[in-house]
Amino acid sequence: MSPANFDFHCHSTVSDGLMPPQEVAARAAANGVDCWALTDHDDLGGLAAARTTAEELGLRFYNGVEISIEWNEIPIHIVGLGFNAEQPELVNGLTDLRSGRLERARRMGDALAAIGIPGVFEGARALVTNPQLISRAHFARYLVSIGIAPDTSGVFQHYLVPGKPGYVTHRWVSLADALGWIHAAGGVAVVAHPGRYRMSGGEMRRFLDEFHDLGGQAIEVMSGSHSPDHVLHFARLARHYAFHASRGSDFHGVKESYVDLGRLPQLPQDLKPVWRLLQ
């Protein structure tokens, strides 16, 4: 199997996407994707429906998830690919992880109320399809709907990133825990969109050293949020660590995504694509 167009990072309404899993699968197929993974945040609930539709449309499908972790007080995301979605250690770990999201959301609502924007928790919660998965994206959508900013990127920039009034710290799971769950389920661990993290070059190297030592095998080189300079930089790091390279749009919906499903440029030809680990 040598896919011409693989996309291993996207979201549905099971987490913070705008389309149900079946519609995400249909859009992937319509855009020429031939190898696909759904990677909802901290939840596996959309995988069965995504697989059924993908197989009906001739897409090769792999189980995926995007796990929220904390490393040296920095929030980071790890994508798991090709795992057994019924493995108890993974399932139970994600269940525990989701339980902290509601408490974080309440604190975010309190923080925004303190600066004169009341009712945001309730408004964001009304937009949630999966009651276990309330995220900053739901807050951003609600704040746009009441005219606080013209778009969700503006909301994030001014309210929901570290140092801004609606951001609250939260203790996610450790890197070791996330990789342990993925490996116990027979999957491959991938660093998601590394260009998005507020890390110095030295911090990134130390993080990747630890990721490598814990058995991490891949990094997203081509991401919807990566600039051409990011691609060059993380391609160099993939070569340095002998990581496989992943490619993912991080698609959430037509109006809220850096790039559409399957529309990213191809990986640099000398890199080892991550799908080779999923045979």
Side-chain angles (χ1 to χ4, degrees):
M1 187 273 293
S2 297
N5 187 359
F6 76 94
D7 195 320
F8 285 169
H9 190 157
C10 64
H11 300 275
S12 76
T13 50
V14 170
S15 61
D16 58 351
L18 292 169
M19 301 163 64
Q22 301 92 323
E23 292 184 17
V24 183
R27 189 171 189 89
N31 285 359
V33 174
D34 53 1
C35 190
W36 176 59
L38 179 69
T39 58
D40 277 313
H41 292 283
D42 306 324
D43 200 299
L44 311 178
L47 296 181
R51 178 179 294 278
T52 296
T53 304
E55 291 177 350
E56 289 172 353
L57 296 172
L59 283 172
R60 183 182 291 265
F61 179 78
Y62 291 101
N63 289 333
V65 66
E66 186 174 10
I67 301 178
S68 308
I69 75 156
E70 181 181 320
W71 179 85
N72 284 7
E73 300 184 351
I74 301 170
I76 294 175
H77 291 168
I78 300 294
V79 165
L81 295 172
F83 50 80
N84 173 7
E86 298 179 355
Q87 203 281 332
E89 188 172 342
L90 175 64
V91 171
N92 294 335
L94 292 175
T95 298
D96 290 342
L97 180 55
R98 290 193 300 274
S99 69
R101 281 184 170 270
L102 187 60
E103 185 269 337
R104 180 189 70 153
R106 291 186 189 278
R107 290 190 289 128
M108 290 171 60
D110 291 343
L112 290 164
I115 62 165
I117 313 176
V120 182
F121 168 74
E122 293 78 10
R125 197 174 188 186
L127 301 177
V128 174
T129 303
N130 177 355
Q132 293 184 315
L133 255 296
I134 183 169
S135 74
R136 288 183 299 162
H138 299 110
F139 276 71
R141 290 167 191 156
Y142 177 73
L143 289 169
V144 168
S145 76
I146 62 172
I148 295 298
D151 53 42
T152 56
S153 62
V155 174
F156 271 90
Q157 180 181 355
H158 295 291
Y159 294 94
L160 300 180
V161 295
K164 299 302 181 179
Y167 182 85
V168 300
T169 58
H170 182 75
R171 187 160 296 279
W172 302 105
V173 299
S174 70
L175 177 63
D177 283 341
L179 266 63
W181 301 345
I182 293 167
H183 293 153
V188 173
V190 184
V191 180
H193 42 58
R196 287 178 54 183
Y197 307 124
R198 295 188 175 187
M199 303 169 75
S200 67
E203 286 175 320
M204 178 59 72
R205 287 293 190 111
R206 289 191 291 277
F207 169 72
L208 293 177
D209 286 343
E210 186 173 335
F211 177 75
H212 179 272
D213 292 345
L214 289 169
Q217 294 174 277
I219 185 171
E220 277 184 8
V221 171
M222 193 65 68
S223 166
S225 56
H226 280 181
S227 68
D229 285 344
H230 282 138
V231 174
L232 291 173
H233 178 64
F234 292 109
R236 285 194 294 268
L237 288 175
R239 296 181 191 105
H240 173 79
Y241 288 95
F243 287 148
H244 285 66
S246 194
R247 176 178 183 264
S249 58
D250 199 7
F251 178 79
H252 284 71
V254 176
K255 296 181 179 179
E256 285 191 12
S257 298
Y258 301 101
V259 65
D260 207 343
L261 278 157
R263 301 301 196 200
L264 285 170
Q266 293 295 327
L267 290 169
Q269 290 188 354
D270 67 303
L271 298 183
K272 301 174 293 184
V274 70
W275 54 258
R276 291 182 182 172
L277 297 174
L278 303 176
Q279 301 301 300

